[in-house]
Amino acid sequence: MHQWKPALLALASTLGYGTSLWPTTQQGQAVDPSILTSLGAWSFYVPNGDIGRYDIPDAVFPGCEVDQVNLFMRHDFRGPSKGVGSGIATMISNIVNASNAEDSSWNFAIGDGQSHPELHFLSRLKDSYKAVPSELLTAYGEQDAHASGYRFKKMYGYLLGHMDWYNTPVNQSLPVFVRTTDQSRVNVTSWTFSEGFMGPDWRNRLAAPLLTLPDSSKAYNDSLAVGTCPFSQNDTSSDDAFAIWNDVYLPKVVQRLQRALPNLNLTTSDVQAMQNACPFQSAYLSHLSPFCAIFNLHEWELYSYGQDLQQFENAGYGGPFGRAWGVGWVNELLARLTDSPVTDRTSTNTTLDADKNTFPLGLPVYLDFTHDTQLASAVAVMGLLKDGRKLDPTKYPSKDRLWNTAHIVPMGGRMVVERLTCRGKPQKYVRILLNDAVLPLSGLKECGVQAQGRKHASAWLCKLSDFVTSQSFAQAGGDWRNCYL
Ligand SMILES: *[C@@H]1O[C@H](CO)[C@@H](O)[C@H](O)[C@H]1NC(C)=O
Ligand SMILES: *[C@@H]1O[C@H](CO)[C@@H](O)[C@H](O)[C@H]1NC(C)=O
Ligand SMILES: *[C@@H]1O[C@H](CO)[C@@H](O)[C@H](O)[C@H]1NC(C)=O
Ligand SMILES: *[C@@H]1O[C@H](CO)[C@@H](O)[C@H](O)[C@H]1NC(C)=O
Ligand SMILES: *[C@@H]1O[C@H](CO)[C@@H](O)[C@H](O)[C@H]1NC(C)=O
Ligand SMILES: *[C@@H]1O[C@H](CO)[C@@H](O)[C@H](O)[C@H]1NC(C)=O
Ligand SMILES: *[C@@H]1O[C@H](CO)[C@@H](O)[C@H](O)[C@H]1NC(C)=O
């Protein structure tokens, strides 16, 4: 019997696991909850689900205490992009048309001699389907962001000197600074997270006013936006890798379904849209979509890998921009960790970063809200999760590959960089968590055993000064020049 992680099961149960809302597979069993984390960058973030993923205990090292925390968070679960959404709409329209035809029961007849309870809903889709709005944060995402803020309070609320600000008069500011963007899914995520963390009056309590940056303006540089790297628009490496992989894995999936439903003409794009409908419809409905049951776990893993490739080329170690977008944010992080002015000539805005109202230093809590591209790129710029293997678009890699998008930038993915003070140690330390998992700093030689000693190195604590030295790539501008070749 399969052992599911309790955290995953808890998420599954909030989505209706064990109720009639949770669909069943071909054999009539419930869908494996692991598919929730096999949906690439459209995976669900599982609260505490990745603890110990890299075999490092998450408890704070004995004698140490976090004195500063930097959150870098992707917006929570959104609707599909316009392109993905229109692919889903076309697929739905094809199926609904087939079910409207006079010979509709013939259209949906099963042809492979097996029973397929998971396909029955297709012939009744027109009665049950709800169109998924594109781009915007879903209600599920909003509640998840709020709950994330509340969990953040339980972890780090002591840095605000008080456990519960919800009912407290607004006559005292909190040492917190928040930056977000003017894109709805990002700004709504930041607002609900902040409310979960600091209560409904959070805006009036911030150490400096909430800073909302333009998200897609090409005429404005800032470290949270995706519009800042002009040449990236001409880069096709991520789409190319994605297309190659789809040609490798999708035809077999299409054939399998086509055998089951011989009287429907299933195109590759329709089958891909059926896969895409699973994450987006589930998050929209706040319970698992029946589309999720059409595919088995192995097919979901193959699907997820396509997004690993895409992300690896676009924002990871693969392509020319992966180690460019995030450079500015990393340099801002170094400034915050060391309480010193930002030194950067990439995506940061020097006017903003020189002003204490828009870039205050010396605070214990910084919250930045952004997109998957910025977050994944920051991971790569920092030299984290690097296993030296390039992802191959023609072949499924090992399951323990480090570049696994579902565990780097799921919807609501977050990196937390902690600065710690340790008893009896004059210097401060740094520790990094990605989706609650402590990250190994094995790619950073300054953070290895020789410099840190065995005990600290095995908890992946790195002395602040060594950590700063380890970030020489970002300090030298990273690959930023590739954005302006
Ligand atoms: C479904 O049928 C409607 C009405 O006949 C038509 O307008 C639409 O284009 C069809 N959809 C597809 C995807 O063929
Ligand atoms: C805030 O207001 C409360 C209630 O009015 C009062 O007791 C408290 O002293 C005030 N705190 C500060 C820092 O002004
Ligand atoms: C939040 O995002 C929406 C949608 O992009 C935008 O219209 C709105 O102005 C933003 N709000 C703020 C305060 O930035
Ligand atoms: C953004 O920064 C780059 C240099 O890093 C500069 O070339 C570009 O002009 C800046 N963009 C704007 C809108 O100022
Ligand atoms: C930097 O921010 C300031 C203040 O918002 C703005 O006026 C300026 O245009 C920005 N500069 C760049 C290069 O984006
Ligand atoms: C993208 O490619 C087009 C055509 O080759 C070129 O005209 C344009 O300047 C390029 N833009 C960028 C930002 O590289
Ligand atoms: C599927 O395509 C074939 C060949 O193009 C066509 O003859 C058949 O009518 C189509 N079936 C359906 C259900 O659309």
Side-chain angles (χ1 to χ4, degrees):
M1 181 64 202
H2 199 91
Q3 288 297 307
W4 287 306
K5 283 196 162 190
L8 184 61
L9 218 46
L11 170 67
S13 109
T14 71
L15 292 172
Y17 193 75
T19 73
S20 61
L21 298 174
W22 190 273
T24 55
T25 64
Q26 187 183 354
Q27 284 81 29
Q29 310 134 338
V31 172
D32 184 334
S34 326
I35 74 154
L36 298 171
T37 54
S38 307
L39 301 168
W42 305 332
S43 292
F44 284 79
Y45 161 76
V46 181
N48 298 334
D50 279 350
I51 286 180
R53 179 170 174 82
Y54 309 100
D55 296 324
I56 306 164
D58 68 310
V60 174
F61 197 73
C64 299
E65 189 176 69
V66 175
D67 71 9
Q68 184 189 76
V69 62
N70 295 273
L71 173 83
F72 199 32
M73 179 169 170
R74 182 191 189 191
H75 58 75
D76 216 296
F77 225 118
R78 58 162 166 81
S81 67
K82 292 216 167 60
V84 168
S86 78
I88 295 175
T90 303
M91 174 274 291
I92 297 290
S93 163
N94 279 330
I95 291 177
V96 168
N97 283 6
S99 70
N100 282 337
E102 279 175 28
D103 49 359
S104 70
S105 63
W106 179 81
N107 284 345
F108 290 91
I110 301 294
D112 64 359
Q114 299 185 12
S115 112
H116 283 281
E118 85 285 6
L119 297 177
H120 290 170
F121 82 100
L122 289 174
S123 62
R124 301 184 306 267
L125 205 51
K126 64 173 179 294
D127 303 326
S128 62
Y129 183 72
K130 298 217 171 32
V132 181
S134 56
E135 307 282 357
L136 301 179
L137 194 69
T138 59
Y140 171 82
E142 194 171 330
Q143 78 80 28
D144 188 51
H146 193 278
S148 294
Y150 179 67
R151 277 199 314 278
F152 196 78
K153 178 175 96 94
K154 289 208 274 191
M155 294 277 294
Y156 303 111
Y158 67 90
L159 292 169
L160 310 187
H162 192 296
M163 280 311 288
D164 193 348
W165 294 95
Y166 298 163
N167 301 305
T168 312
V170 189
N171 56 1
Q172 190 180 338
S173 83
L174 299 179
V176 179
F177 182 57
V178 184
R179 294 191 301 181
T180 188
T181 84
D182 61 5
Q183 203 173 72
S184 171
R185 58 183 183 256
V186 181
N187 68 30
V188 179
T189 297
S190 62
W191 301 341
T192 48
F193 183 101
S194 298
E195 184 172 320
F197 177 39
M198 295 172 274
D201 288 322
W202 64 274
R203 276 164 194 271
N204 301 323
R205 301 186 198 274
L206 298 177
L210 171 69
L211 183 60
T212 304
L213 295 163
D215 205 307
S216 26
S217 157
K218 287 179 191 60
Y220 199 100
N221 278 345
D222 69 71
S223 56
L224 306 182
V226 288
T228 52
C229 182
F231 259 69
S232 65
Q233 276 156 9
N234 281 10
D235 182 49
T236 58
S237 60
S238 62
D239 292 344
D240 294 347
F242 186 62
I244 293 171
W245 174 245
N246 285 342
D247 285 343
V248 170
Y249 96 92
L250 260 177
K252 272 181 235 142
V253 181
V254 177
Q255 277 166 27
R256 179 182 75 72
L257 266 189
Q258 189 66 82
R259 275 196 304 274
L261 294 165
N263 306 330
L264 285 183
N265 285 338
L266 293 172
T267 65
T268 307
S269 9
D270 281 346
V271 172
Q272 188 164 34
M274 287 177 173
Q275 290 201 295
N276 293 343
C278 164
F280 291 114
Q281 205 188 25
S282 299
Y284 178 60
L285 300 173
S286 295
H287 64 76
L288 203 67
S289 158
F291 281 103
C292 303
I294 295 183
F295 307 94
N296 60 44
L297 181 58
H298 180 61
E299 289 166 338
W300 286 118
E301 286 165 347
L302 301 178
Y303 170 85
S304 207
Y305 182 56
Q307 298 204 15
D308 294 354
L309 286 163
Q310 201 168 36
Q311 189 77 243
F312 187 74
E313 293 298 324
N314 183 46
Y317 292 102
F321 307 108
R323 304 190 80 198
W325 316 89
V327 175
W329 186 83
V330 173
N331 285 329
E332 289 177 336
L333 170 70
L334 298 177
R336 288 168 171 176
L337 289 169
T338 56
D339 290 338
S340 50
V342 178
T343 313
D344 177 72
R345 291 181 36 198
T346 70
S347 63
T348 52
N349 178 317
T350 44
T351 312
L352 296 175
D353 282 4
D355 183 338
K356 66 176 176 6
N357 279 309
T358 47
F359 199 83
L361 289 168
L363 297 176
V365 183
Y366 294 99
L367 312 179
D368 283 337
F369 296 85
T370 188
H371 295 273
D372 54 342
T373 304
Q374 303 305 109
L375 176 51
S377 172
V379 168
V381 167
M382 291 168 89
L384 307 169
L385 296 181
K386 186 177 190 181
D387 57 11
R389 284 174 282 183
K390 218 172 147 32
L391 296 184
D392 180 350
T394 64
K395 198 159 122 260
Y396 188 73
S398 101
K399 274 198 194 188
D400 64 3
R401 65 191 175 280
L402 287 178
W403 198 268
N404 187 329
T405 303
H407 299 277
I408 300 175
V409 282
M411 292 289 186
R414 74 241 16 219
M415 175 160 66
V416 168
V417 181
E418 297 174 338
R419 188 182 70 189
L420 302 95
T421 313
C422 299
R423 210 183 314 118
K425 301 278 185 186
Q427 68 280 64
K428 292 183 188 280
Y429 284 83
V430 169
R431 186 173 85 144
I432 303 177
L433 296 90
L434 186 61
N435 302 316
D436 314 305
V438 178
L439 282 187
L441 305 179
S442 40
L444 314 179
K445 72 173 178 340
E446 292 81 359
C447 297
V449 183
Q450 273 184 343
Q452 309 303 324
R454 191 178 50 78
K455 276 203 243 163
H456 287 84
S458 65
W460 291 113
L461 285 181
C462 187
K463 283 176 204 150
L464 176 56
S465 55
D466 289 330
F467 179 74
V468 171
T469 311
S470 79
Q471 296 303 304
S472 56
F473 178 74
Q475 288 163 311
D479 284 341
W480 180 249
R481 64 188 183 289
N482 291 352
C483 290
Y484 287 90
L485 273 178

